[in-house]
Amino acid sequence: MIEPWAKQGRLPNFRRLMREGAFGTCLSTIHPLTPQAWASFLTGKNPGKHGLYDFGVRNQGTYGLRLTTSRDRKSPALWHFVNSAGMKAGIVNVPLTYPPEELNGFMISGMHSPSWRKACFPNEIFHELSARFPHYQIDVMSQWYNHYDVFLENVRLMTETRMRVGAYLYAKYHPELFVLVMVSADRVQHALWGQMSHPLRQGHQREWKYGNAVLDSYVQLDDCLGRVFTLLDDDITLIVMSDHGFGNLHKDVYLNRFLIKTGFMKEKDNQWNRPFDMGNPFECIDWRQTKAYSHGLFGNIFINVKGREPAGIIPKGDQYEEVIDSLIDYLYEIRDPDDGGKVVTRIYRREELYHGPYVENAPDLLVDMRNYGYITRGGHEFAGDGLFSKPKINHSGNHRLNGMAFIRGPNIKPGFRMPEITITDLAPTILYVMGVPIPDDMDGRVVHEVFSP
């Protein structure tokens, strides 16, 4: 979307970025989900090494979940290596960096921080900034609002204030590594993708009131990018990236209902008319007769493994493989009754995607349903008998694998369309630019193609 809008003259600063630097597709993680994608960017490693897979982490010894925090990331982030090389880092609003880490520099943690005051390191940063920018917001999500007009105005104010905070911090402290995350495009695309006038389908849905809301969010980001240009000296390298792409969201899929219907999960009784409890999502499941279960967003299946799960019954080995093979066969046969088409596009065994000491924390199977146009959500898993519903929150857009990256700097080829890279390639490339040693255990590579000889 950025490229056609830029060529149409609607995003002049992105057009400049493409003209003066390298650009192309940056593939996210599988799943293209915020916690594991941002952790993979920060560490240069696959989730099997940093340990993050979803917004929820299972409480030890139970099937219940708690929210993921920065303490659940098991590998050091970029700022650790930059600090070790004697340089400062400034980190603003990277999702799931709460609680903020102590570092040489400053940090304002992002998504899921309980308050701005608690999100700041050092504490003095909060007092300094809150006096100057009292309207700073960590996040704005459409499901918090009854009216899109109010939601969009709050997104606009959040973005403007964050840009001002970022410009102030960078100009005052000049950290050698500065990371500023703007979440507005994600929030607006989740909410209003379905009403968007797409840049490659001119005239599409122009009758919708919010047909230009997504474009407007990019125009504001383009303005922010222009202000970034004015802050940078000629010897500074600028990277603009996303942790994933975007596309349509059509339906929620209830995999635990599927598991019950196919006999892989057993219930104690039939009284499922109760709200989902994140702390105890499976209180009515008979684990002594349950072979598999699902939790998390986008499509995860866990086998109830003996010795790994609190009440596991499936031993590792042949029986485990039989359950996996049977599940895969059943999953590929799921069809949407509205169109008769198959729902599951591809199923991954975790070993196909991940390697490292924390693979055991990953789902046994990861299920891609129509290129993430269908997802799991969990909030209404056991209320009713249907396997599908319209999205339970007011979203019409969802993540995709194909994110983007732009790189501009003194040694970067201008106007160069780089080969497809992965999100783990950015950390080693950043360290290479900064002259910082690259750890041997990073999975990403330096994107040498973008540098002039």
Side-chain angles (χ1 to χ4, degrees):
M1 286 158 37
I2 290 176
E3 187 170 7
W5 275 332
K7 289 180 177 178
Q8 293 165 15
R10 301 186 182 204
L11 304 177
N13 292 301
F14 275 102
R15 182 62 176 153
R16 176 184 172 186
L17 192 59
M18 294 167 62
R19 185 173 63 250
E20 296 180 358
F23 60 95
T25 298
C26 177
L27 292 179
S28 185
T29 52
I30 298 175
H31 299 307
L33 193 59
T34 300
Q36 65 164 277
W38 279 111
S40 295
F41 161 72
L42 290 175
T43 64
K45 299 177 184 179
N46 85 93
K49 290 182 180 177
H50 63 63
L52 296 191
Y53 296 97
D54 214 311
F55 286 104
V57 175
R58 195 166 69 198
N59 286 316
Q60 190 70 28
T62 76
Y63 293 93
L65 305 176
R66 60 170 175 78
L67 282 175
T68 300
T69 75
S70 62
R71 294 189 178 116
D72 296 306
R73 177 172 39 79
K74 306 301 183 183
S75 288
L78 272 169
W79 52 81
H80 170 84
F81 306 106
V82 170
N83 284 173
S84 294
M87 293 182 276
K88 293 182 296 184
I91 312 298
V92 178
N93 203 56
V94 176
L96 282 87
T97 49
Y98 177 83
E101 296 181 36
E102 296 185 10
L103 74 166
N104 178 10
F106 57 85
M107 179 181 293
I108 305 173
S109 55
M111 182 181 186
H112 289 177
S113 299
S115 69
W116 188 17
R117 180 187 294 271
K118 293 182 178 180
C120 293
F121 176 85
N123 291 333
E124 293 75 18
I125 286 285
F126 170 75
H127 299 295
E128 177 181 358
L129 295 176
S130 60
R132 291 176 175 268
F133 308 99
H135 302 298
Y136 184 89
Q137 297 179 80
I138 293 172
D139 213 340
V140 171
M141 297 186 181
S142 62
Q143 57 266 35
W144 300 349
Y145 297 86
N146 294 320
H147 301 287
Y148 283 129
D149 289 345
V150 180
F151 159 68
L152 291 170
E153 177 61 16
N154 276 273
V155 170
R156 188 191 67 78
L157 290 173
M158 172 185 67
T159 304
E160 173 61 23
T161 305
R162 183 164 301 140
M163 183 63 226
R164 290 181 181 180
V165 168
Y168 171 81
L169 288 170
Y170 184 78
K172 180 173 182 178
Y173 295 102
H174 281 288
E176 284 85 351
L177 171 69
F178 186 62
V179 181
L180 175 65
V181 176
M182 314 290 273
V183 299
S184 56
D186 178 278
R187 303 310 187 241
V188 175
Q189 288 174 131
H190 269 306
L192 292 165
W193 182 276
Q195 296 195 25
M196 178 179 62
S197 297
H198 196 284
L200 298 180
R201 296 192 297 273
Q202 289 303 301
H204 178 63
Q205 293 182 330
R206 283 179 182 262
E207 69 277 11
W208 288 95
K209 177 179 179 180
Y210 302 105
N212 288 320
V214 172
L215 172 60
D216 291 345
S217 72
Y218 277 88
V219 169
Q220 185 181 19
L221 291 173
D222 187 80
D223 175 72
C224 292
L225 178 59
R227 291 149 74 179
V228 168
F229 284 145
T230 67
L231 295 170
L232 302 184
D233 296 332
D234 291 341
D235 62 342
I236 300 298
T237 296
L238 169 67
I239 294 177
V240 178
M241 51 77 67
S242 70
D243 63 316
H244 52 71
F246 248 89
N248 285 314
L249 174 63
H250 297 288
K251 292 188 178 182
D252 290 350
V253 182
Y254 302 112
L255 286 182
N256 283 314
R257 294 184 194 168
F258 159 80
L259 294 171
I260 290 171
K261 288 179 179 291
T262 51
F264 290 96
M265 173 179 274
K266 296 293 184 181
E267 51 192 325
K268 293 177 184 175
D269 55 51
N270 293 316
Q271 304 303 313
W272 296 109
N273 295 316
R274 64 189 70 204
F276 177 79
D277 176 3
M278 188 171 186
N280 189 13
F282 303 110
E283 60 178 326
C284 293
I285 296 302
D286 183 351
W287 294 108
R288 296 168 300 176
Q289 300 185 69
T290 292
K291 298 177 181 178
Y293 62 101
S294 174
H295 68 65
L297 294 170
F298 291 14
N300 300 324
I301 300 284
F302 297 82
I303 307 303
N304 195 25
V305 174
K306 189 174 184 178
R308 187 185 74 184
E309 267 65 19
I313 63 170
I314 305 299
K316 277 283 193 168
D318 291 344
Q319 192 173 342
Y320 173 88
E321 295 299 329
E322 289 172 6
V323 172
I324 288 283
D325 291 342
S326 181
L327 269 169
I328 290 173
D329 290 342
Y330 274 102
L331 286 163
Y332 274 124
E333 291 305 314
I334 297 176
R335 294 181 180 272
D336 186 337
D338 288 340
D339 61 19
K342 289 191 174 183
V343 169
V344 175
T345 303
R346 183 166 180 183
I347 302 169
Y348 301 89
R349 294 173 181 248
R350 62 186 184 182
E351 293 81 9
E352 295 178 60
L353 301 173
Y354 313 128
H355 60 279
Y358 304 105
V359 172
E360 273 293 301
N361 298 340
D364 294 275
L365 294 174
L366 294 96
V367 186
D368 173 1
M369 295 174 286
R370 295 197 182 183
N371 191 24
Y372 299 104
Y374 289 44
I375 65 170
T376 55
R377 196 177 302 279
H380 300 266
E381 278 283 281
F382 303 116
D385 295 321
L387 296 183
F388 306 94
S389 75
K390 293 181 179 179
K392 287 293 184 181
I393 59 176
N394 58 347
H395 283 180
S396 60
N398 191 46
H399 303 178
R400 296 294 189 270
L401 288 172
N402 54 316
M404 56 78 175
F406 302 79
I407 307 176
R408 170 188 178 265
N411 298 311
I412 304 299
K413 296 176 183 176
F416 177 67
R417 188 181 295 275
M418 62 187 178
E420 190 173 80
I421 66 172
T422 70
I423 197 167
T424 55
D425 294 333
L426 293 171
T429 301
I430 290 167
L431 295 180
Y432 175 81
V433 168
M434 299 182 73
V436 175
I438 301 168
D440 293 337
D441 63 345
M442 281 190 174
D443 296 312
R445 67 179 185 90
V446 176
V447 187
H448 287 290
E449 298 93 324
V450 304
F451 296 97
S452 299

